[in-house]
Amino acid sequence: MIINVILFLLSIPLLFACVYYFVLTVTALVGKRPHAPPSSSRYNRIVVIVPALNESQVIQATLDNLGREIDYPKEYYEVIVIADNCTDDTAKIARAAGVKCLERNDNQHRGKGWALDWAFRQFLSQPYDAYLVVDADCRMDSHSLAAINCALESGQRVLQLNYKADNPDSSPISYAACVANYLENQFYHAPKSRLGLSVFLRGTGMAFHQSILKEIPWDASSIVEDLEYSLQLIRKRITTKYIVGAAVKSPFPESVQAFKVQRSRWTGGGAKITKSRFYDLLCESVRKQNALLVDAAISLWLQSRSAIVVYAVAMFTVCAVNWLIAASFFSSALFWLQVGVIGCMLTYGLIGVLGLGLTPRRLGFLFQIPVICANWLFISAKSWRESSASQQEWIRSPRAHEKQPSPKR
């Protein structure tokens, strides 16, 4: 009986995760769809910042998109490339495209977070109303700046565009990443924002009103600078609004090596912040009576999806063994409870597969998903173990055309 009680208590975190995701999923499926914000007659002056480290092979297409395909008055937005510690022709290409380019060289402070801090300090004294950060391999929907403008005029001060993957059919790895990203967009970020909760910034497609960066200067320099700054905003009761109807798109990793570099940075950086901030956020939420901090702590925990999956499998195994060794009503109930948890996880994944759409090629990819998931769990476990290192270096995610990981930054 004592063992059954212990196993039930250990099951509570999994049950909570299932309930949390269930509420968000129901909100996404049946909740009232957000109306498009009304058009505005006032145009905010927006600077589009493109941080770039050795992006000579991809940045031209991005600049073409930003310069020719954006439906927003040209006089009200400007594209500026931040060539950060570049050793290739990134700056030359940007200037040849007629884009202003600022070069930064600082071997002591490497990383996207440092580059953004440097860039924002350059621009705060200039007459810009808002700042939009876009990665050097991204494409934006033509109406994205107009959507940002309307949201700013409605009173929002921090925005996150819908971040989409545009290469689901390139490889089994990119397909799996696209399914996961679809679920995160449609059944996590979008419903959270609809419920008035804050979403975490995602590094690209994030926009800030000038007043925000004056009130809370950007000083996030970790390997997950977007997550770090998101928590700073939430501590000030500032929510980040997710814009569903405007997207920034980029290709996701297609090879095992590229996937490993990106996933290691995301998981390792997220794990380090979760370990150091989770309990502090919960305690602070009680002191300040700030519900956003409670949700932020929960979101930090839930973003460790690999750990949750491993925990669920471990609990299923232990409960199955317990039922076989000491069959009873309680051990049977615990076993079927774990079956329900695993079933919820599989159903959630199936929603992503069906939502993204199926083709004969994607059906073929599905047979490789178990191997990819096993690799993902291994990479995540290794990153969790190494996340306690005092300093982790920022490494740019390899682009689709690159075969090897990029130099450390």
Side-chain angles (χ1 to χ4, degrees):
M1 183 64 181
I2 295 178
I3 293 177
N4 289 329
V5 172
I6 293 174
L7 290 176
F8 175 73
L9 293 176
L10 291 174
S11 299
I12 291 177
L14 290 174
L15 294 176
F16 179 83
C18 287
V19 170
Y20 190 92
Y21 275 107
F22 177 77
V23 171
L24 293 182
T25 301
V26 170
T27 301
L29 292 174
V30 303
K32 185 178 180 180
R33 299 293 173 183
H35 296 291
S39 58
S40 173
S41 58
R42 178 183 182 275
Y43 292 106
N44 285 275
R45 182 166 171 76
I46 301 172
V47 57
V48 182
I49 303 171
V50 185
L53 165 63
N54 293 341
E55 300 284 11
S56 59
Q57 297 188 52
V58 297
I59 197 168
Q60 183 66 62
T62 299
L63 296 179
D64 288 344
N65 165 254
L66 295 174
R68 303 174 186 174
E69 301 173 16
I70 303 301
D71 186 16
Y72 198 72
K74 299 293 185 183
E75 63 271 23
Y76 285 101
Y77 82 96
E78 182 177 8
V79 179
I80 300 179
V81 172
I82 307 299
D84 187 42
N85 290 295
C86 288
T87 58
D88 66 354
D89 293 333
T90 295
K92 181 179 178 181
I93 293 171
R95 292 185 178 115
V99 172
K100 184 177 180 180
C101 180
L102 303 180
E103 296 187 68
R104 173 182 178 271
N105 294 286
D106 188 341
N107 290 324
Q108 300 301 315
H109 301 97
R110 291 175 168 269
K112 184 177 176 182
W114 291 106
L116 290 178
D117 175 46
W118 182 84
F120 290 140
R121 284 189 282 107
Q122 306 290 314
F123 303 143
L124 279 175
S125 61
Q126 300 184 31
Y128 298 116
D129 298 306
Y131 312 89
L132 171 65
V133 178
V134 177
D135 282 351
D137 66 334
C138 290
R139 314 286 182 274
M140 279 203 314
D141 286 345
S142 60
H143 60 282
S144 293
L145 291 187
I148 290 172
N149 184 68
C150 290
L152 292 172
E153 287 300 286
S154 68
Q156 298 294 330
R157 295 199 295 163
V158 186
L159 307 165
Q160 174 61 57
L161 294 183
N162 188 357
Y163 179 27
K164 290 184 177 181
D166 64 0
N167 61 334
D169 299 314
S170 296
S171 75
I173 289 176
S174 69
Y175 172 68
C178 289
V179 170
N181 186 66
Y182 172 84
L183 284 169
E184 191 167 10
N185 288 337
Q186 301 300 320
F187 297 95
Y188 190 74
H189 293 301
K192 280 191 69 170
S193 194
R194 195 179 306 164
L195 291 172
L197 300 172
S198 184
V199 303
F200 289 155
L201 296 166
R202 303 191 66 187
T204 186
M206 50 187 188
F208 311 94
H209 191 274
Q210 187 190 62
S211 62
I212 282 291
L213 290 170
K214 287 184 175 180
E215 178 183 344
I216 308 174
W218 181 283
D219 62 356
S221 57
S222 71
I223 61 174
V224 281
E225 71 290 328
D226 44 4
L227 176 57
E228 186 181 353
Y229 191 69
S230 296
L231 295 179
Q232 293 180 31
L233 293 172
I234 292 172
R235 281 198 162 102
K236 297 291 186 179
R237 300 179 185 269
I238 297 171
T239 60
T240 298
K241 180 73 173 179
Y242 191 72
I243 301 182
V244 180
V248 56
K249 306 170 187 176
S250 71
F252 273 27
E254 299 174 6
S255 68
V256 173
Q257 186 60 46
F259 177 77
K260 180 180 179 180
V261 171
Q262 184 189 76
R263 190 57 50 181
S264 295
R265 187 183 83 238
W266 287 358
T267 304
K272 187 172 184 178
I273 287 185
T274 300
K275 290 176 182 178
S276 62
R277 307 281 181 86
F278 178 75
Y279 292 108
D280 289 344
L281 286 172
L282 288 180
C283 293
E284 189 176 346
S285 69
V286 174
R287 293 197 310 271
K288 296 183 176 180
Q289 298 182 347
N290 186 348
L292 290 177
L293 288 174
V294 177
D295 183 69
I298 293 171
S299 298
L300 277 181
W301 171 61
L302 289 177
Q303 75 170 355
S304 307
R305 294 175 181 86
S306 56
I308 295 174
V309 171
V310 170
Y311 188 53
V313 172
M315 286 298 300
F316 171 82
T317 304
V318 171
C319 288
V321 171
N322 179 54
W323 183 35
L324 291 174
I325 294 176
S328 68
F329 171 80
F330 294 105
S331 62
S332 175
L334 282 169
F335 169 73
W336 287 107
L337 181 65
Q338 303 308 319
V339 170
V341 169
I342 298 295
C344 287
M345 291 182 172
L346 293 174
T347 300
Y348 191 70
L350 180 61
I351 290 174
V353 169
L354 296 177
L356 191 63
L358 277 173
T359 64
R361 182 174 177 81
R362 294 177 186 179
L363 281 172
F365 288 161
L366 281 176
F367 290 102
Q368 301 181 55
I369 292 294
V371 175
I372 295 171
C373 288
N375 190 31
W376 166 60
L377 292 174
F378 174 78
I379 293 171
S380 298
K382 186 173 183 291
S383 299
W384 261 88
R385 188 178 70 250
E386 297 174 349
S387 64
S388 297
S390 59
Q391 181 63 40
Q392 295 169 296
E393 292 189 81
W394 197 96
I395 304 176
R396 175 174 67 80
S397 299
R399 306 312 184 196
H401 67 278
E402 294 174 342
K403 303 300 182 183
Q404 301 296 326
S406 303
K408 287 187 177 182
R409 172 176 176 174

Coordinates of all heavy atoms in Angstrom, one line a residue, residues 24-100:
L24 N -4.8 23.9 -22.8 CA -4.3 24.7 -23.9 C -4.8 24.1 -25.2 O -5.1 24.9 -26.1 CB -2.8 24.7 -23.9 CG -2.1 25.5 -22.7 CD1 -0.6 25.5 -22.9 CD2 -2.6 26.9 -22.7
T25 N -4.8 22.8 -25.3 CA -5.3 22.2 -26.6 C -6.7 22.4 -26.8 O -7.2 22.8 -28.0 CB -5.0 20.6 -26.5 OG1 -3.6 20.4 -26.4 CG2 -5.5 20.0 -27.8
V26 N -7.6 22.3 -25.8 CA -9.0 22.6 -25.9 C -9.2 24.1 -26.3 O -10.0 24.5 -27.2 CB -9.7 22.3 -24.6 CG1 -11.2 22.8 -24.7 CG2 -9.8 20.8 -24.4
T27 N -8.4 25.0 -25.7 CA -8.5 26.4 -26.0 C -8.1 26.7 -27.4 O -8.8 27.5 -28.1 CB -7.5 27.2 -25.1 OG1 -7.8 27.0 -23.7 CG2 -7.6 28.7 -25.4
A28 N -7.1 25.9 -27.9 CA -6.7 26.1 -29.3 C -7.8 25.6 -30.3 O -8.0 26.2 -31.4 CB -5.4 25.4 -29.6
L29 N -8.4 24.5 -29.9 CA -9.4 23.8 -30.8 C -10.8 24.5 -30.8 O -11.4 24.6 -31.9 CB -9.6 22.4 -30.5 CG -8.3 21.5 -30.7 CD1 -8.6 20.1 -30.2 CD2 -8.0 21.4 -32.2
V30 N -11.2 24.9 -29.7 CA -12.6 25.4 -29.6 C -12.7 26.8 -29.1 O -13.8 27.4 -29.0 CB -13.5 24.5 -28.7 CG1 -13.5 23.1 -29.2 CG2 -13.0 24.5 -27.2
G31 N -11.6 27.4 -28.6 CA -11.6 28.8 -28.1 C -12.0 29.8 -29.2 O -11.8 29.5 -30.4
K32 N -12.4 30.9 -28.8 CA -12.8 32.0 -29.7 C -11.5 32.5 -30.4 O -10.5 32.8 -29.8 CB -13.4 33.1 -29.0 CG -13.9 34.3 -29.9 CD -14.6 35.3 -29.0 CE -15.1 36.5 -29.9 NZ -15.7 37.6 -29.1
R33 N -11.6 32.4 -31.8 CA -10.5 32.9 -32.6 C -10.2 34.4 -32.4 O -11.1 35.2 -32.4 CB -10.7 32.6 -34.0 CG -10.9 31.1 -34.3 CD -9.6 30.3 -34.0 NE -9.8 28.9 -34.2 CZ -8.9 28.0 -33.9 NH1 -7.7 28.4 -33.5 NH2 -9.1 26.7 -34.0
P34 N -8.9 34.8 -32.3 CA -8.7 36.2 -32.1 C -9.0 36.9 -33.4 O -8.7 36.5 -34.5 CB -7.2 36.2 -31.8 CG -6.6 34.9 -32.4 CD -7.7 33.9 -32.3
H35 N -9.6 38.1 -33.3 CA -9.9 38.9 -34.4 C -8.6 39.7 -34.9 O -7.8 40.0 -34.0 CB -11.0 39.9 -34.1 CG -12.3 39.3 -33.8 ND1 -13.0 38.6 -34.7 CD2 -13.0 39.2 -32.6 CE1 -14.2 38.2 -34.2 NE2 -14.1 38.5 -32.9
A36 N -8.5 39.9 -36.2 CA -7.4 40.7 -36.6 C -7.5 42.1 -36.1 O -8.6 42.7 -36.1 CB -7.3 40.7 -38.2
P37 N -6.4 42.7 -35.6 CA -6.5 44.0 -35.1 C -6.9 45.0 -36.2 O -6.5 44.8 -37.4 CB -5.1 44.3 -34.6 CG -4.2 43.4 -35.4 CD -5.0 42.1 -35.6
P38 N -7.6 46.0 -35.9 CA -8.0 47.0 -36.9 C -6.8 47.7 -37.5 O -5.8 47.9 -36.9 CB -8.9 48.0 -36.1 CG -8.4 47.9 -34.7 CD -8.1 46.4 -34.5
S39 N -7.0 48.1 -38.7 CA -5.9 48.8 -39.4 C -5.7 50.1 -38.8 O -6.6 50.7 -38.2 CB -6.2 48.9 -40.9 OG -7.4 49.6 -41.1
S40 N -4.5 50.6 -38.8 CA -4.1 51.9 -38.2 C -3.7 52.9 -39.2 O -3.0 52.6 -40.2 CB -3.0 51.7 -37.2 OG -2.6 52.9 -36.6
S41 N -4.1 54.1 -39.0 CA -3.7 55.2 -39.9 C -2.3 55.7 -39.5 O -1.7 56.5 -40.3 CB -4.7 56.3 -39.9 OG -4.9 56.8 -38.6
R42 N -1.8 55.4 -38.4 CA -0.5 55.8 -37.9 C 0.5 54.7 -38.1 O 0.3 53.6 -37.7 CB -0.6 56.2 -36.4 CG 0.8 56.7 -35.9 CD 0.7 57.0 -34.4 NE 2.0 57.5 -33.9 CZ 2.9 56.7 -33.5 NH1 2.8 55.3 -33.5 NH2 4.1 57.2 -33.0
Y43 N 1.6 55.1 -38.6 CA 2.7 54.1 -38.9 C 3.8 54.3 -37.9 O 4.4 55.4 -37.8 CB 3.2 54.2 -40.3 CG 2.2 53.7 -41.3 CD1 1.6 54.7 -42.1 CD2 1.9 52.4 -41.5 CE1 0.7 54.3 -43.1 CE2 1.0 52.0 -42.5 CZ 0.4 53.0 -43.3 OH -0.5 52.6 -44.2
N44 N 4.2 53.3 -37.1 CA 5.3 53.3 -36.3 C 6.6 53.2 -37.1 O 6.6 52.4 -38.1 CB 5.3 52.2 -35.2 CG 4.3 52.5 -34.1 OD1 4.6 53.2 -33.2 ND2 3.1 52.0 -34.3
R45 N 7.6 53.9 -36.8 CA 8.9 53.7 -37.4 C 9.6 52.5 -36.8 O 10.0 52.5 -35.6 CB 9.8 55.0 -37.3 CG 11.1 54.9 -38.0 CD 11.7 56.3 -38.1 NE 13.1 56.2 -38.6 CZ 13.4 56.0 -39.9 NH1 12.5 55.8 -40.8 NH2 14.7 55.9 -40.3
I46 N 9.9 51.5 -37.6 CA 10.4 50.2 -37.1 C 11.8 49.9 -37.8 O 11.9 50.1 -39.0 CB 9.4 49.0 -37.5 CG1 8.0 49.3 -36.9 CG2 10.0 47.7 -37.0 CD1 7.0 48.3 -37.4
V47 N 12.7 49.6 -36.9 CA 14.0 49.1 -37.4 C 14.1 47.6 -37.3 O 13.8 47.0 -36.3 CB 15.2 49.8 -36.7 CG1 15.1 49.5 -35.2 CG2 16.5 49.3 -37.3
V48 N 14.4 47.0 -38.5 CA 14.5 45.5 -38.5 C 16.0 45.2 -38.3 O 16.8 45.5 -39.2 CB 14.0 44.9 -39.8 CG1 14.1 43.4 -39.8 CG2 12.5 45.4 -40.0
I49 N 16.3 44.5 -37.2 CA 17.7 44.2 -36.9 C 18.0 42.8 -37.3 O 17.3 41.9 -36.9 CB 18.0 44.4 -35.4 CG1 17.6 45.9 -35.0 CG2 19.4 44.1 -35.0 CD1 17.7 46.1 -33.5
V50 N 19.0 42.6 -38.1 CA 19.4 41.3 -38.5 C 20.8 40.9 -38.0 O 21.8 41.3 -38.6 CB 19.4 41.2 -40.1 CG1 19.7 39.7 -40.5 CG2 18.1 41.7 -40.7
P51 N 20.9 40.3 -36.8 CA 22.2 39.9 -36.3 C 22.8 38.7 -37.2 O 22.0 37.8 -37.6 CB 21.9 39.4 -34.9 CG 20.5 39.0 -34.9 CD 19.8 39.9 -35.9
A52 N 24.0 38.8 -37.6 CA 24.6 37.9 -38.5 C 26.0 37.5 -38.2 O 26.9 38.4 -38.0 CB 24.5 38.4 -39.9
L53 N 26.3 36.2 -38.1 CA 27.6 35.7 -37.9 C 28.0 34.8 -39.1 O 27.4 33.7 -39.2 CB 27.8 34.9 -36.6 CG 29.0 34.0 -36.5 CD1 30.3 34.9 -36.5 CD2 29.0 33.2 -35.2
N54 N 28.8 35.3 -40.0 CA 29.2 34.5 -41.2 C 28.0 33.9 -41.9 O 27.9 32.7 -42.1 CB 30.2 33.4 -40.7 CG 31.5 33.9 -40.2 OD1 31.9 35.1 -40.5 ND2 32.2 33.1 -39.5
E55 N 27.1 34.8 -42.4 CA 25.9 34.4 -43.0 C 25.9 34.7 -44.5 O 24.9 35.0 -45.1 CB 24.7 35.1 -42.4 CG 24.5 34.8 -40.9 CD 24.0 33.4 -40.6 OE1 23.9 32.6 -41.6 OE2 23.6 33.1 -39.5
S56 N 27.1 34.8 -45.1 CA 27.2 35.2 -46.5 C 26.4 34.3 -47.5 O 26.0 34.8 -48.6 CB 28.7 35.2 -47.0 OG 29.3 34.0 -46.8
Q57 N 26.2 33.1 -47.1 CA 25.5 32.2 -48.1 C 24.0 32.3 -48.0 O 23.3 31.8 -48.9 CB 25.9 30.7 -47.8 CG 27.4 30.5 -48.0 CD 27.8 29.0 -48.0 OE1 27.1 28.2 -48.6 NE2 28.7 28.7 -47.2
V58 N 23.4 32.9 -47.0 CA 22.0 33.0 -46.8 C 21.4 34.4 -46.7 O 20.2 34.6 -46.9 CB 21.5 32.2 -45.6 CG1 21.8 30.7 -45.8 CG2 22.1 32.7 -44.3
I59 N 22.2 35.4 -46.4 CA 21.7 36.7 -46.0 C 21.1 37.4 -47.2 O 20.2 38.2 -47.0 CB 22.8 37.5 -45.3 CG1 22.1 38.7 -44.6 CG2 23.8 38.0 -46.3 CD1 23.0 39.4 -43.6
Q60 N 21.6 37.2 -48.4 CA 21.1 37.9 -49.6 C 19.6 37.6 -49.8 O 18.8 38.6 -50.0 CB 21.8 37.5 -50.8 CG 21.4 38.2 -52.1 CD 21.7 39.7 -52.0 OE1 22.9 40.1 -51.9 NE2 20.7 40.6 -52.1
A61 N 19.2 36.4 -49.6 CA 17.8 36.0 -49.8 C 16.9 36.7 -48.7 O 15.8 37.2 -49.0 CB 17.6 34.5 -49.8
T62 N 17.4 36.8 -47.5 CA 16.7 37.4 -46.4 C 16.6 38.9 -46.7 O 15.5 39.5 -46.5 CB 17.5 37.2 -45.1 OG1 17.5 35.8 -44.8 CG2 16.7 37.9 -43.9
L63 N 17.6 39.5 -47.1 CA 17.6 41.0 -47.4 C 16.6 41.3 -48.6 O 15.9 42.3 -48.6 CB 19.0 41.5 -47.7 CG 19.9 41.4 -46.5 CD1 21.3 42.0 -46.9 CD2 19.4 42.2 -45.3
D64 N 16.6 40.4 -49.6 CA 15.7 40.5 -50.7 C 14.2 40.5 -50.2 O 13.4 41.3 -50.6 CB 15.9 39.4 -51.7 CG 17.2 39.6 -52.5 OD1 17.7 40.7 -52.5 OD2 17.6 38.6 -53.2
N65 N 14.0 39.6 -49.3 CA 12.6 39.4 -48.7 C 12.3 40.7 -48.0 O 11.2 41.3 -48.1 CB 12.6 38.2 -47.8 CG 11.4 38.2 -46.9 OD1 11.5 38.4 -45.7 ND2 10.2 37.9 -47.4
L66 N 13.2 41.2 -47.1 CA 12.9 42.3 -46.3 C 12.8 43.6 -47.1 O 12.1 44.5 -46.7 CB 13.9 42.5 -45.2 CG 14.0 41.3 -44.2 CD1 15.2 41.5 -43.2 CD2 12.7 41.3 -43.4
G67 N 13.5 43.7 -48.2 CA 13.5 44.9 -49.0 C 12.4 45.0 -50.0 O 12.0 46.1 -50.4
R68 N 12.0 43.8 -50.6 CA 11.1 43.8 -51.7 C 9.7 43.2 -51.5 O 8.8 43.5 -52.2 CB 11.7 43.0 -52.9 CG 13.1 43.5 -53.3 CD 13.7 42.6 -54.3 NE 15.1 43.0 -54.6 CZ 15.9 42.2 -55.4 NH1 15.4 41.1 -56.0 NH2 17.1 42.6 -55.7
E69 N 9.6 42.4 -50.4 CA 8.3 41.7 -50.2 C 7.5 42.1 -49.0 O 6.5 41.4 -48.7 CB 8.6 40.2 -50.1 CG 9.4 39.6 -51.3 CD 9.9 38.2 -51.1 OE1 9.4 37.5 -50.2 OE2 10.7 37.8 -51.9
I70 N 7.9 43.2 -48.4 CA 7.2 43.6 -47.2 C 6.2 44.7 -47.5 O 6.5 45.7 -48.1 CB 8.1 44.1 -46.1 CG1 9.2 43.0 -45.8 CG2 7.4 44.6 -44.9 CD1 8.5 41.8 -45.3
D71 N 4.9 44.5 -47.2 CA 3.9 45.5 -47.5 C 3.7 46.5 -46.3 O 2.9 46.4 -45.4 CB 2.5 44.7 -47.6 CG 1.4 45.6 -48.1 OD1 1.7 46.8 -48.5 OD2 0.2 45.2 -48.0
Y72 N 4.7 47.4 -46.3 CA 4.7 48.5 -45.3 C 5.4 49.7 -45.9 O 6.4 49.5 -46.7 CB 5.5 48.0 -44.0 CG 5.2 48.7 -42.8 CD1 4.0 48.6 -42.1 CD2 6.2 49.6 -42.2 CE1 3.8 49.3 -40.9 CE2 6.0 50.3 -41.1 CZ 4.8 50.2 -40.4 OH 4.6 50.9 -39.2
P73 N 5.0 50.9 -45.6 CA 5.6 52.0 -46.3 C 7.1 52.0 -46.1 O 7.6 51.9 -44.9 CB 4.9 53.2 -45.5 CG 3.6 52.7 -45.1 CD 3.9 51.3 -44.7
K74 N 7.8 52.2 -47.1 CA 9.3 52.1 -47.1 C 9.9 53.2 -46.2 O 10.9 52.9 -45.5 CB 9.9 52.2 -48.5 CG 9.4 51.2 -49.5 CD 10.0 49.8 -49.1 CE 9.6 48.8 -50.2 NZ 10.1 47.4 -49.8
E75 N 9.3 54.3 -46.1 CA 9.8 55.4 -45.3 C 9.7 55.1 -43.8 O 10.2 55.9 -43.0 CB 9.2 56.7 -45.7 CG 7.7 56.9 -45.4 CD 6.9 56.4 -46.6 OE1 7.4 55.6 -47.4 OE2 5.7 56.9 -46.7
Y76 N 8.9 54.1 -43.4 CA 8.7 53.9 -42.0 C 9.4 52.6 -41.5 O 9.1 52.2 -40.3 CB 7.2 53.7 -41.7 CG 6.5 55.1 -41.8 CD1 5.7 55.5 -42.9 CD2 6.5 55.9 -40.7 CE1 5.1 56.7 -42.9 CE2 5.9 57.2 -40.7 CZ 5.2 57.5 -41.8 OH 4.5 58.8 -41.9
Y77 N 10.2 52.0 -42.3 CA 11.0 50.9 -41.7 C 12.4 50.9 -42.4 O 12.6 51.3 -43.5 CB 10.3 49.6 -41.8 CG 10.4 48.8 -43.2 CD1 11.4 47.9 -43.4 CD2 9.5 49.1 -44.2 CE1 11.4 47.2 -44.6 CE2 9.6 48.4 -45.4 CZ 10.5 47.5 -45.6 OH 10.6 46.8 -46.8
E78 N 13.3 50.4 -41.6 CA 14.7 50.3 -42.1 C 15.3 49.0 -41.7 O 15.0 48.5 -40.5 CB 15.5 51.5 -41.5 CG 17.0 51.5 -42.0 CD 17.8 52.7 -41.4 OE1 17.2 53.4 -40.5 OE2 18.9 52.9 -41.8
V79 N 16.1 48.4 -42.5 CA 16.7 47.1 -42.2 C 18.2 47.4 -42.0 O 18.9 48.1 -42.7 CB 16.6 46.1 -43.4 CG1 17.4 44.8 -43.1 CG2 15.2 45.9 -43.7
I80 N 18.7 46.9 -40.8 CA 20.1 47.1 -40.4 C 20.7 45.8 -40.1 O 20.2 45.0 -39.2 CB 20.3 48.1 -39.3 CG1 19.7 49.5 -39.7 CG2 21.7 48.2 -38.9 CD1 19.8 50.5 -38.6
V81 N 21.8 45.4 -40.7 CA 22.5 44.2 -40.4 C 23.6 44.4 -39.4 O 24.3 45.4 -39.4 CB 23.1 43.6 -41.7 CG1 24.0 42.4 -41.3 CG2 22.1 43.2 -42.7
I82 N 23.7 43.6 -38.4 CA 24.7 43.6 -37.4 C 25.7 42.5 -37.7 O 25.4 41.3 -37.4 CB 24.2 43.5 -35.9 CG1 23.1 44.5 -35.7 CG2 25.3 43.6 -34.9 CD1 23.5 45.9 -35.8
A83 N 26.8 42.8 -38.4 CA 27.8 41.8 -38.7 C 28.7 41.6 -37.5 O 29.5 42.4 -37.2 CB 28.6 42.3 -39.9
D84 N 28.4 40.5 -36.8 CA 29.0 40.3 -35.5 C 30.1 39.3 -35.5 O 29.9 38.1 -35.8 CB 27.9 39.8 -34.5 CG 28.4 39.7 -33.1 OD1 29.0 40.6 -32.6 OD2 28.0 38.7 -32.4
N85 N 31.3 39.8 -35.4 CA 32.5 39.0 -35.4 C 32.6 38.1 -36.7 O 33.0 37.0 -36.7 CB 32.6 38.0 -34.2 CG 32.8 38.8 -32.9 OD1 33.9 39.4 -32.7 ND2 31.9 38.8 -32.0
C86 N 32.2 38.7 -37.8 CA 32.2 38.0 -39.1 C 33.6 37.9 -39.7 O 34.4 38.9 -39.6 CB 31.3 38.7 -40.1 SG 29.6 38.5 -39.7
T87 N 33.9 36.8 -40.3 CA 35.2 36.6 -41.0 C 34.9 36.3 -42.5 O 35.9 36.0 -43.2 CB 36.0 35.5 -40.4 OG1 35.2 34.3 -40.4 CG2 36.4 35.8 -39.0
D88 N 33.7 36.5 -43.0 CA 33.4 36.3 -44.4 C 32.9 37.6 -45.0 O 33.2 38.7 -44.5 CB 32.3 35.1 -44.5 CG 31.0 35.5 -43.9 OD1 30.9 36.6 -43.3 OD2 30.0 34.7 -44.0
D89 N 32.1 37.5 -46.1 CA 31.6 38.7 -46.8 C 30.2 39.1 -46.4 O 29.6 39.8 -47.2 CB 31.6 38.3 -48.3 CG 33.0 38.1 -48.8 OD1 34.0 38.7 -48.3 OD2 33.2 37.4 -49.8
T90 N 29.8 38.8 -45.2 CA 28.4 39.2 -44.8 C 28.2 40.7 -44.9 O 27.2 41.2 -45.5 CB 28.2 38.7 -43.3 OG1 28.2 37.3 -43.3 CG2 26.8 39.2 -42.8
A91 N 29.1 41.5 -44.3 CA 29.0 42.9 -44.3 C 29.0 43.5 -45.8 O 28.3 44.4 -46.1 CB 30.1 43.6 -43.5
K92 N 29.9 42.9 -46.6 CA 30.0 43.4 -48.0 C 28.7 43.1 -48.7 O 28.3 44.0 -49.5 CB 31.2 42.7 -48.7 CG 31.4 43.1 -50.1 CD 32.6 42.3 -50.7 CE 32.8 42.7 -52.1 NZ 34.0 41.9 -52.7
I93 N 28.1 42.0 -48.6 CA 26.9 41.6 -49.2 C 25.8 42.5 -48.8 O 24.9 43.0 -49.6 CB 26.5 40.1 -49.0 CG1 27.6 39.2 -49.6 CG2 25.1 39.8 -49.5 CD1 27.4 37.8 -49.3
A94 N 25.7 42.8 -47.5 CA 24.6 43.7 -46.9 C 24.7 45.1 -47.5 O 23.7 45.7 -48.0 CB 24.7 43.7 -45.4
R95 N 25.9 45.6 -47.6 CA 26.1 47.0 -48.1 C 25.8 47.0 -49.6 O 25.3 48.0 -50.2 CB 27.5 47.5 -47.8 CG 27.7 47.7 -46.3 CD 29.0 48.3 -46.0 NE 29.2 48.6 -44.6 CZ 30.0 48.0 -43.8 NH1 30.9 47.1 -44.3 NH2 30.1 48.3 -42.5
A96 N 26.2 45.9 -50.3 CA 25.9 45.9 -51.8 C 24.4 45.8 -52.1 O 24.0 46.3 -53.1 CB 26.6 44.7 -52.4
A97 N 23.7 45.3 -51.1 CA 22.2 45.3 -51.2 C 21.6 46.6 -50.8 O 20.3 46.7 -50.9 CB 21.7 44.1 -50.4
G98 N 22.4 47.6 -50.5 CA 21.9 48.9 -50.1 C 21.4 49.0 -48.7 O 20.6 49.8 -48.3
V99 N 21.8 48.0 -47.8 CA 21.4 48.0 -46.5 C 22.5 48.5 -45.5 O 23.7 48.2 -45.7 CB 21.0 46.5 -46.1 CG1 20.8 46.4 -44.6 CG2 19.8 46.0 -46.9
K100 N 22.1 49.2 -44.5 CA 23.1 49.7 -43.6 C 23.6 48.5 -42.8 O 22.8 47.7 -42.4 CB 22.4 50.7 -42.6 CG 23.3 51.4 -41.6 CD 22.6 52.4 -40.8 CE 23.6 53.0 -39.8 NZ 22.8 54.1 -38.9

